[in-house]
Amino acid sequence: MRRVAVVGVGLTKFGENWDHSFRDLITDAGIHALADANMSGADIDALYGGTMAAGRLIGQEHITALIADFMGLNPIPATRVEAACASGGVALRTGYMAVASGIHDHVVVGGVEKMTDVSSGEVASALGGAGDQEWELFMGATFPSLYALMARRHMHEYGTTEEQMAQVAVKNHYNAARNKYAQYQKEITLETVMKSKVISSPLKVFDCSPITDGAAVAILVPLEQARKYTDTPIEIVASAQASDKLSLHSRESITRLDATIIAAKKAYAQAKVEPKDIDVAEVHDCFTIAELMAIEDLGFCRKGEGGKMTAQGETALNAKISVNTSGGLKGCGHPVGATGVKQIAEIVWQLRGQAGDRQVKGAEVGLTHNVGGSGATCVVNILKRAN
Ligand SMILES: CC(C)(COP(=O)(O)OP(=O)(O)OC[C@H]1O[C@@H](n2cnc3c(N)ncnc32)[C@H](O)[C@@H]1OP(=O)(O)O)[C@@H](O)C(=O)NCCC(=O)NCCS
């Protein structure tokens, strides 16, 4: 296996981008990533694109052919990857495997979703298809309600409180306020979260990630060639993926995600690091309870102590471990297919020392955690500054 580095990343601003089409978004992010890598389209050998629901949300299938066309990359192989909200993370891992195996040298990985052109109800229905359509969505269980069930059970088993969940939103909005790409660049208080409209009890609007348009792109090359393109290559030292039962009722426990636990264990072994070595992590906080479960399942604290760790401020910027410095899905926004690649961009900026007001001091090891649906897919990547 060859070692793999990220040499360029690019994002669009996340938000309600009514003046940008799906193809505008991914092309913009792609142009930024190529410029960041000092490359042109002619240097690229293959493209992997993650999108979850372009067919449902904008009526467009065959999206990687469209991306290759609009980015001027024809006739390279262009492959779509779909794994619900983990589509971007799985696309990244697929690109990583293509470079590591020696099949391709210069790979562009993109993630994109255009979600705000249809009503919230249509989005909820499209996203709900990432759970068990027959046994969950058809019965009325959309994603907020599935995560509400997990939250209730976590509260019952571990004494987690609504205030502790709300602290995740307060922290992530604080970080998003320092990120020019974020959908919500404003700080909020605990009271804002606690008094916001109930979506599916105990989850309120400010416990939920929003509906977002956006795109993210990363360029991968073999590490041995990386310095041709950048002075600060960031190595992907581990990339692991696992799956789990699709529906909540089939799982042994709904207060942990086994796919996260398994992918994390493999990633730590591959990278030869432990949870305590991670300086900065982008975790999948599609709902505030999801961040609490993620920091537990990734081993940053003991099971059941995610709420306490968050309320004590240990996951804040430059605290014990800086979690979701981009603002996470909650503050930065969650264009579902793009999120996994955006997480990579944030960690690359952190490890290069380019994160501005939200820079984690001396960050050397970063982790990304991208979940599909209610946890049936999980990808964990670990990145380090290359020496
Ligand atoms: C929470 C949710 C239901 C709110 O949707 P909604 O009630 O239709 O909200 P609207 O679009 O009408 O927005 C109303 C206001 O709330 C704000 N808002 C909407 N969602 C928000 C969120 N998650 N966080 C903070 N503010 C939010 C909007 O910006 C808008 O503010 P404005 O009036 O100042 O412009 C929707 O964001 C949602 O479904 N989120 C979950 C998405 C999801 O399931 N993703 C996949 C996870 S696995």
Side-chain angles (χ1 to χ4, degrees), residues 254-317:
I254 61 167
T255 56
R256 61 169 201 261
L257 298 188
D258 284 343
T260 296
I261 294 170
I262 293 162
K265 204 170 152 198
K266 286 185 176 168
Y268 291 134
Q270 191 186 346
K272 300 188 180 60
V273 298
E274 295 177 33
K276 68 172 172 44
D277 299 320
I278 306 296
D279 300 309
V280 53
E282 285 286 300
V283 310
H284 198 96
D285 60 322
C286 49
F287 299 92
T288 51
I289 183 63
E291 179 166 320
L292 301 188
M293 287 164 59
I295 60 178
E296 296 167 0
D297 295 342
L298 291 167
F300 299 154
C301 62
R302 287 215 299 265
K303 192 69 212 165
E305 295 190 351
K308 202 164 108 196
M309 184 183 191
T310 304
Q312 287 172 347
E314 293 178 17
T315 53
L317 194 59

Side-chain angles (χ1 to χ4, degrees), residues 127-199:
L127 295 177
D132 187 324
Q133 200 281 337
E134 200 170 331
W135 287 104
E136 293 177 333
L137 184 63
F138 185 72
M139 307 297 170
T142 57
F143 270 94
S145 37
L146 293 176
Y147 276 89
L149 290 173
M150 297 189 209
R152 278 273 172 239
R153 188 70 203 178
H154 206 277
M155 292 164 80
H156 174 73
E157 283 182 22
Y158 301 112
T160 300
T161 65
E162 292 186 42
E163 285 79 3
Q164 289 173 339
M165 290 188 263
Q167 293 285 5
V168 170
V170 174
K171 169 183 70 71
N172 290 350
H173 274 257
Y174 175 91
N175 293 342
R178 284 147 185 79
N179 182 359
K180 66 177 181 181
Y181 295 102
Q183 181 160 358
Y184 295 122
Q185 296 176 33
K186 61 174 185 204
E187 293 181 29
I188 56 169
T189 62
L190 194 63
E191 199 183 14
T192 318
V193 188
M194 296 303 290
K195 288 199 168 155
S196 63
K197 174 174 78 173
V198 174
I199 297 295

